[in-house]
Amino acid sequence: RAEQEMKRLEDEAKRRAEDEKVSKLKKEVQTLCLDAEEKLSYTTGANSRLEEALKDSENFAGILKAATALTDLVDVMKKALDEFSRALHSNFPEAELSPEGLRRLKTELKPLQAKCTDYQKTVAKLGRAASEAKNRESRRIAAIELGEQQKKDFEKYDSRKKGHLSEADLKRFAKEKYDFVAEA
């Protein structure tokens, strides 16, 4: 009878110890989830700032700055989600859980897996939006700079300032710009 009581007490102690391990691991994963949620709120805030900047289509620098900030936050968010996802899909070998304890932990973490997947989809969408805005604004800035350079070149060779190049202006332009000598 005493042996049975001793065995029952040992089993109860093991169960409580495993329950504590499961609880501790669950809290660690929940902490990673909260960290991801907080970073997601910053990232969605940056997306709102990008959307606001996009309303002023002439503010190239502001749009580019907002898109760059969003891209940086998306990168940070991806790292947080990777850590969160790894924790969710771990078998926690260091915890030395019984198969039953591991099954219980995985069951308790299931709702967090759905959150992680939703966050990953949101971050992917925000990343695409930031990348598209950044690329579009970079192309617009490059096109504007090219147009300004072409205008400067034109003004440089328009000796009569009439808005068009004379034959002599054109020959000088071809010679200086492209090292091409036009035959008369």
Side-chain angles (χ1 to χ4, degrees):
R1 177 102 179 138
E3 285 180 26
Q4 287 178 341
E5 185 62 25
M6 185 69 121
K7 174 78 170 133
R8 188 185 66 74
L9 290 174
E10 285 176 8
D11 288 347
E12 182 68 24
K14 284 180 184 177
R15 188 187 57 73
R16 270 195 302 262
E18 187 162 83
D19 285 349
E20 286 176 19
K21 287 180 186 178
V22 166
S23 179
K24 181 181 176 211
L25 291 169
K26 183 180 174 186
K27 284 180 183 173
E28 288 175 7
V29 175
Q30 286 173 326
T31 300
L32 292 172
C33 179
L34 290 173
D35 181 53
E37 284 176 356
E38 183 177 4
K39 288 178 174 143
L40 183 61
S41 73
Y42 292 131
T43 307
T44 54
N47 185 57
S48 297
R49 288 187 291 283
L50 173 61
E51 289 173 353
E52 198 60 36
L54 286 169
K55 290 178 183 175
D56 180 8
S57 62
E58 297 302 312
N59 184 6
F60 308 121
I63 294 170
L64 198 53
K65 183 178 177 182
T68 301
L70 179 56
T71 301
D72 292 346
L73 285 170
V74 163
D75 290 342
V76 169
M77 185 69 199
K78 283 180 180 178
K79 289 176 186 171
L81 284 173
D82 285 346
E83 189 177 355
F84 181 30
S85 181
R86 273 194 307 277
L88 283 170
H89 296 95
S90 172
N91 283 328
F92 305 98
E94 72 282 354
E96 299 174 357
L97 295 174
S98 69
E100 176 57 33
L102 185 59
R103 213 175 2 265
R104 200 168 65 245
L105 177 61
K106 293 287 187 175
T107 300
E108 291 180 20
L109 294 178
K110 267 216 188 301
L112 296 179
Q113 288 177 337
K115 276 187 175 184
C116 185
T117 300
D118 288 344
Y119 295 167
Q120 288 169 330
K121 288 177 183 176
T122 300
V123 166
K125 179 181 161 190
L126 295 175
R128 283 189 302 273
S131 180
E132 289 169 5
K134 198 172 171 182
N135 291 338
R136 182 177 53 248
E137 293 312 308
S138 294
R139 286 191 308 270
R140 284 177 60 180
I141 290 170
I144 289 169
E145 289 172 351
L146 177 63
E148 288 172 356
Q149 184 59 45
Q150 289 173 340
K151 185 176 179 181
K152 284 180 188 175
D153 287 346
F154 180 82
E155 289 171 355
K156 177 181 173 185
Y157 293 103
D158 184 14
S159 61
R160 295 179 296 165
K161 307 296 182 211
K162 289 190 172 185
H164 63 275
L165 300 180
S166 66
E167 185 177 334
D169 293 339
L170 197 55
K171 286 181 181 179
R172 187 170 62 107
F173 169 75
K175 172 76 172 132
E176 291 178 16
K177 193 79 172 169
Y178 299 105
D179 198 29
F180 176 78
V181 177
E183 303 280 328

